[in-house]
Amino acid sequence: MKTALLGLMQSGKSTIFAAISGKAIPPIGATAIEEAIVPVPDQRLDWLNTLYKPKKKTLATIDVLDLPGFSFTDEHGRAAARRLIGQIRTADMLVLVVRAFENPTVAAYRNSVDWKRDLAELKTELLLSDLELVTTRVEKLEKQVHKPTKTQAQDKAELAVQLRLQEAIEAEKPISSVIQTEEERAIVKSLGFLTLKPMAAVINVGEDQAGQTIAVDGPISAVTMCAKLEYELAQLDAETRKTFMADLGITESAAEKFVQMCYSTLGLVSFLTAGSDEVRAWPIKDGTVAVDAAGKIHSDIKRGFIRAETMAYADLKALGDEKAVRAAGKMRLEGKEYVVKDGDIINFRFNV
């Protein structure tokens, strides 16, 4: 799962990246995309680790990309931003970071702090980037469809789709609204349209607003976060950080809040495996059936699937161990079509 952080200059985006990843804050003016594998905090694994005492504990992870801050105030800045945006079309999700904090020592984008304006500008630029992609593709296809090639019929069909996409984007309508078949969906997916990707927003607030909730208009989820404070907390040891968070009324770390936002936006849940060798979390799409969840571990397990021996984490924790779970009749044998739930602890029976 790959998530890209986007934001305007001085939004605090890279400070948030540092807070959730443990990396240093990139220097001002950096032009390279930073990348970090961020573990997904999961207290359930901590408890399972204590119970099973395995050789290894493996958390789920999120691959996070931090793009340099954008500036759309001139053509040079816009061209640089478009080059960077073009490199994240394979990302699974976009997180737009906007500034809501006042600080006279940190220059504000366009000389004022207005997170709603900044969020709208970022979304518009993503839309224009997609329009540029569609326009280029349409121009190429319009030349190709007149040539008697083996792909002529396919090119004509795609051109019809791209023209509808172009019309939708120009009217600022969702691209998804003009997709009619699975074949058209496959065409769209291959191009990596940014405005089709799940999006969320992080509103970077001042310390006086830490812990507050700010509503965002439109179909986009958002969390508030004080990047400066979260970065400072991330530098502390676990016990000291816990104490400071309690004093400040902060119940979740930046990493926990960020991961939950990503999971919710992408529609993910985690099933768990536990034993003497390893306890591990496996992220899957909500609604995934057991046989496909088995394939997340290994294709052979999916191919030879027999049953999924399943218990709920809540039942195991309440009853204390597997023996008690079995005695209480809470251990279940589920078939291929069982819909896996968040927190299911599964042992797959298979034969290959």
Side-chain angles (χ1 to χ4, degrees):
M1 176 173 52
K2 184 175 290 187
T3 298
L5 285 173
L6 289 71
L8 300 171
M9 295 182 69
Q10 307 294 3
S11 63
K13 169 187 53 58
S14 292
T15 304
I16 290 173
F17 174 75
I20 64 176
S21 68
K23 285 195 168 187
I25 299 175
I28 295 174
T31 58
I33 297 177
E34 295 286 332
E35 185 171 6
I37 304 299
V38 177
V40 175
D42 195 330
Q43 294 181 357
R44 298 173 301 191
L45 284 191
D46 296 335
W47 190 86
L48 291 173
N49 193 62
T50 301
L51 177 65
Y52 286 92
K53 298 178 174 57
K55 298 173 185 175
K56 184 168 63 171
K57 179 179 75 172
T58 306
L59 297 169
T61 59
I62 296 177
D63 187 2
V64 182
L65 304 177
D66 176 33
L67 277 68
F70 299 152
S71 175
F72 301 108
T73 56
D74 56 41
E75 285 306 314
H76 174 75
R78 182 168 280 106
R82 290 286 169 80
R83 286 194 295 271
L84 289 166
I85 287 172
Q87 297 180 50
I88 60 166
R89 292 194 178 276
T90 57
D92 300 297
M93 174 182 171
L94 306 179
V95 176
L96 312 183
V97 180
V98 290
R99 173 179 174 174
F101 67 90
E102 297 282 353
N103 186 337
T105 66
V106 180
Y109 183 71
R110 296 192 186 277
N111 300 313
S112 64
V113 175
D114 185 340
W115 69 264
K116 290 185 178 180
R117 174 203 64 197
D118 294 348
L119 184 59
E121 184 167 358
L122 283 169
K123 292 166 74 173
T124 297
E125 291 296 336
L126 293 175
L127 192 71
L128 292 174
S129 181
D130 278 352
L131 180 59
E132 185 178 14
L133 181 65
V134 171
T135 301
T136 301
R137 186 62 182 159
V138 165
E139 289 174 354
K140 183 177 180 180
L141 287 168
E142 284 179 335
K143 295 176 182 178
Q144 286 183 194
V145 293
H146 299 295
K147 300 176 182 178
T149 63
K150 293 181 180 179
T151 62
Q152 188 179 41
Q154 181 180 332
D155 291 340
K156 286 182 178 180
E158 183 184 345
L159 177 59
V161 175
Q162 297 292 356
L163 287 170
R164 292 207 312 272
L165 294 178
Q166 186 177 40
E167 184 178 348
I169 295 173
E170 288 174 345
E172 297 188 19
K173 293 180 180 178
I175 292 177
S176 56
S177 66
V178 297
I179 305 302
Q180 299 173 351
T181 66
E182 286 303 314
E183 289 77 10
E184 291 180 356
R185 194 173 302 279
I187 292 171
V188 170
K189 184 177 180 180
S190 67
L191 291 172
F193 287 110
L194 299 169
T195 51
L196 264 183
K197 296 182 183 298
M199 286 188 200
V202 173
I203 304 171
N204 184 13
V205 299
E207 292 185 48
D208 58 328
Q209 295 174 286
Q212 294 183 16
T213 300
I214 298 178
V216 174
D217 296 330
I220 181 170
S221 61
V223 297
T224 57
M225 203 178 289
C226 176
K228 180 177 179 294
L229 181 58
E230 293 290 358
Y231 177 72
E232 291 170 352
L233 288 170
Q235 307 311 302
L236 304 174
D237 63 80
E239 283 302 315
T240 306
R241 181 167 59 250
K242 186 176 180 181
T243 301
F244 271 89
M245 286 175 64
D247 291 342
L248 294 166
I250 299 174
T251 57
E252 296 174 303
S253 69
E256 290 172 322
K257 188 180 288 190
F258 182 83
V259 164
Q260 287 178 10
M261 177 186 69
C262 291
Y263 263 54
S264 175
T265 302
L266 288 167
L268 297 177
V269 297
S270 287
F271 75 90
L272 314 171
T273 52
S276 58
D277 288 333
E278 181 184 39
V279 294
R280 181 164 180 166
W282 301 87
I284 54 172
K285 281 282 189 181
D286 193 8
T288 298
V289 295
V291 68
D292 291 331
K296 181 78 174 178
I297 300 175
H298 199 285
S299 58
D300 284 349
I301 301 178
K302 178 177 181 177
R303 182 162 56 90
F305 182 98
I306 299 174
R307 287 285 186 274
E309 189 176 57
T310 307
M311 58 181 165
Y313 168 81
D315 289 337
L316 177 62
K317 187 174 182 182
L319 296 168
D321 59 32
E322 285 190 28
K323 183 177 179 181
V325 171
R326 292 180 189 278
K330 298 289 187 178
M331 184 72 75
R332 314 182 309 274
L333 288 177
E334 303 287 1
K336 290 183 176 181
E337 299 306 312
Y338 167 71
V339 177
V340 177
K341 298 178 178 60
D342 184 51
D344 275 349
I345 302 170
I346 304 179
N347 175 38
F348 291 103
R349 296 182 182 181
F350 67 103
N351 182 35
V352 292

